[in-house]
Amino acid sequence: MAVTLEQARRVGCTCLKALLRFAFMVANNLVAIPSYVLYLIILQPLRVLDSKSFWYIEGVLFKWLLAMVASWGWWAGYTVVEWGDDVKAVSEDEAMVLVNHQATGDVCTLMMCLQDKGTVVRQMMWLMDHIFKYTNFGIVSLIHGDFFIRQGRAHRDQQLVLLKEHLEKYYRSRNRKWIVLFPEGGFLRKRRETSQAFAKKNNLPFLKHVTLPRVGATQVILKTLVAPQENGTPAGRDAVIKESKSKGLQWVIDTTIAYPKGEPLDIQTWILGYRQPTVTHVHYRIFPVKDVPAEPEALTHWLYERFIEKEDLLTHFYETGAFPPLQGQTKAISREMTLSNLWLVGIQSLAFLSGGMWYCIFQYFYHCLF
């Protein structure tokens, strides 16, 4: 089939835009990530004298880096609409966030939609695949204190021990509030067949849009971070959030990401922007930790129920284009998540100014020494 001049022009414009976006992203990384590292090296004396202030500043810088990642998608027209409970109501409490996993773009989506949730982004800890350690952002996550988990049955027991030690060492000492994990243990397309075979063997529901979760990391987090007594009150659904004086994890936020037509965004699309503007839909349900069972068998059943509910939510979304209303509601309410372009430009400008400043400093010392 012959290609028309208009089609060729459109393809050419898309390729040029993708090339320019990629160049900008590379430049962004070359100034922002080294600047983050260098600022924290300079601030090491503060870490010794006032650890709380040091990690506060680190958290602000971390949030700005995540905002830069969010801006790549935001300016490409990849926006977010939120459904279900309003997680802003618990943004100052400790919470565990359980997310379904379809593609690399899931992380970028979370980086975007959590930007307007108060102090959450700068005080959160991520659990991610160990391969992420070797990406350009790996050094940032290492400094921030995220946990890299190695997948596979051969490593599972050891990784859970390391996770417990990591939480005990870094979570409270760095004033973390939210911890984000993907309990499925991998992308949907990679785990679906194995999960369905396991479900058939164990007389469990057949799932197409999610896979059965792994319980180990969730159990370790609950055992390590939950205080002996919790007095949380369910958020959203017209409930009044009462301030809790208890310490420890107070909420579990069940987060479901849905893409139109079930076509997830990957990191390449997020960076290059060659896909048409897309609205990603994110659904939240908030559970008080006191309602989550601690015993392994009961916790497994509870977690399976959450992912079976995710399957129903996603089935409804793919059939209707919307999530169903919450219990007690007659109509589902959605909220369009927005970011300030002025703020994003300010963050990007600060990154490039910082890069220029560090370059001038190194040039100065180089000429002084040589």
Side-chain angles (χ1 to χ4, degrees), residues 90 93 231-236 239-242 244 250-251 286 288 290:
V90 298
D93 297 333
N231 57 354
T233 302
V240 177
I241 304 301
K242 297 180 180 179
S244 172
Q250 295 173 266
W251 311 99
I286 303 176
K290 64 183 179 63

Side-chain angles (χ1 to χ4, degrees), residues 90-244:
V90 298
S91 62
E92 297 301 318
D93 297 333
E94 291 188 25
M96 175 173 61
V97 184
L98 307 175
V99 193
N100 62 313
H101 208 9
Q102 301 175 68
T104 48
D106 297 342
V107 175
C108 299
T109 296
L110 288 173
M111 288 180 177
M112 175 187 286
C113 63
L114 296 179
Q115 281 292 321
D116 67 344
K117 306 299 186 293
T119 62
V120 163
V121 176
R122 65 177 177 84
Q123 292 181 283
M124 70 195 321
M125 179 182 285
W126 297 74
L127 265 65
M128 58 192 74
D129 193 280
H130 80 288
I131 197 68
F132 193 78
K133 184 190 300 183
Y134 307 105
T135 67
N136 60 317
F137 211 77
I139 183 64
V140 175
S141 290
L142 277 170
I143 294 172
H144 184 69
D146 297 328
F147 183 77
F148 301 96
I149 191 164
R150 185 180 293 272
Q151 303 292 343
R153 186 175 299 176
H155 308 285
R156 195 167 299 161
D157 292 341
Q158 181 193 26
Q159 290 299 297
L160 295 179
V161 171
L162 293 175
L163 172 59
K164 185 177 187 301
E165 293 174 352
H166 185 89
L167 293 173
E168 290 173 342
K169 185 175 182 180
Y170 297 117
Y171 191 83
R172 296 269 155 64
S173 67
R174 299 186 181 183
N175 195 28
R176 299 296 173 241
K177 290 283 186 72
W178 284 21
I179 183 165
V180 182
L181 68 155
F182 301 89
E184 290 165 294
F187 298 137
L188 173 64
R189 68 179 186 277
K190 293 183 177 181
R191 290 210 62 243
R192 179 159 42 198
E193 186 175 343
T194 303
S195 175
Q196 289 173 346
F198 177 84
K200 183 177 181 180
K201 182 179 179 180
N202 292 274
N203 197 29
L204 294 167
F206 183 86
L207 307 176
K208 296 189 299 181
H209 306 307
V210 295
T211 65
L212 290 169
R214 293 169 177 169
V215 184
T218 304
Q219 187 175 12
V220 169
I221 291 168
L222 290 172
K223 281 187 174 181
T224 308
L225 301 182
V226 173
Q229 293 182 346
E230 296 291 339
N231 57 354
T233 302
R237 307 175 196 173
D238 300 322
V240 177
I241 304 301
K242 297 180 180 179
E243 183 178 355
S244 172

Side-chain angles (χ1 to χ4, degrees), residues 226-287:
V226 173
Q229 293 182 346
E230 296 291 339
N231 57 354
T233 302
R237 307 175 196 173
D238 300 322
V240 177
I241 304 301
K242 297 180 180 179
E243 183 178 355
S244 172
K245 295 182 180 179
S246 66
K247 297 180 180 179
L249 207 67
Q250 295 173 266
W251 311 99
V252 175
I253 303 175
D254 187 24
T255 304
T256 304
I257 299 176
Y259 298 94
K261 299 180 181 179
E263 299 174 354
L265 293 170
D266 53 29
I267 189 65
Q268 299 95 314
T269 306
W270 195 268
I271 292 171
L272 300 177
Y274 51 77
R275 184 165 161 180
Q276 291 298 310
T278 300
V279 179
T280 301
H281 297 258
V282 181
H283 184 277
Y284 306 104
R285 284 194 69 195
I286 303 176
F287 297 88

Side-chain angles (χ1 to χ4, degrees), residues 324-335:
L326 294 170
Q327 187 177 2
Q329 292 181 346
T330 57
K331 182 181 179 180
I333 300 172
S334 63
R335 303 172 295 276

Side-chain angles (χ1 to χ4, degrees), residues 19-34 72 136 271-272 352:
L19 183 62
L20 292 173
R21 283 177 58 88
F22 180 74
F24 175 78
M25 185 275 294
V26 171
N28 202 178
N29 276 268
L30 288 176
V31 296
I33 294 176
W72 305 340
N136 60 317
I271 292 171
L272 300 177
F352 284 100

Side-chain angles (χ1 to χ4, degrees), residues 301-364:
H301 178 71
W302 185 89
L303 200 57
Y304 281 1
E305 282 186 335
R306 301 289 73 76
F307 276 77
I308 293 168
E309 287 176 0
K310 285 180 183 292
E311 176 79 9
D312 294 338
L313 286 170
L314 290 168
T315 298
H316 189 281
F317 177 84
Y318 294 138
E319 291 175 352
T320 66
F323 283 111
L326 294 170
Q327 187 177 2
Q329 292 181 346
T330 57
K331 182 181 179 180
I333 300 172
S334 63
R335 303 172 295 276
E336 186 175 349
M337 185 263 162
T338 60
L339 289 175
S340 167
N341 286 314
L342 181 61
W343 181 65
L344 293 176
V345 169
I347 296 299
Q348 294 285 7
S349 300
L350 180 61
F352 284 100
L353 288 171
S354 295
M357 178 193 73
W358 290 115
Y359 176 78
C360 292
I361 290 173
F362 282 120
Q363 284 290 312
Y364 173 79

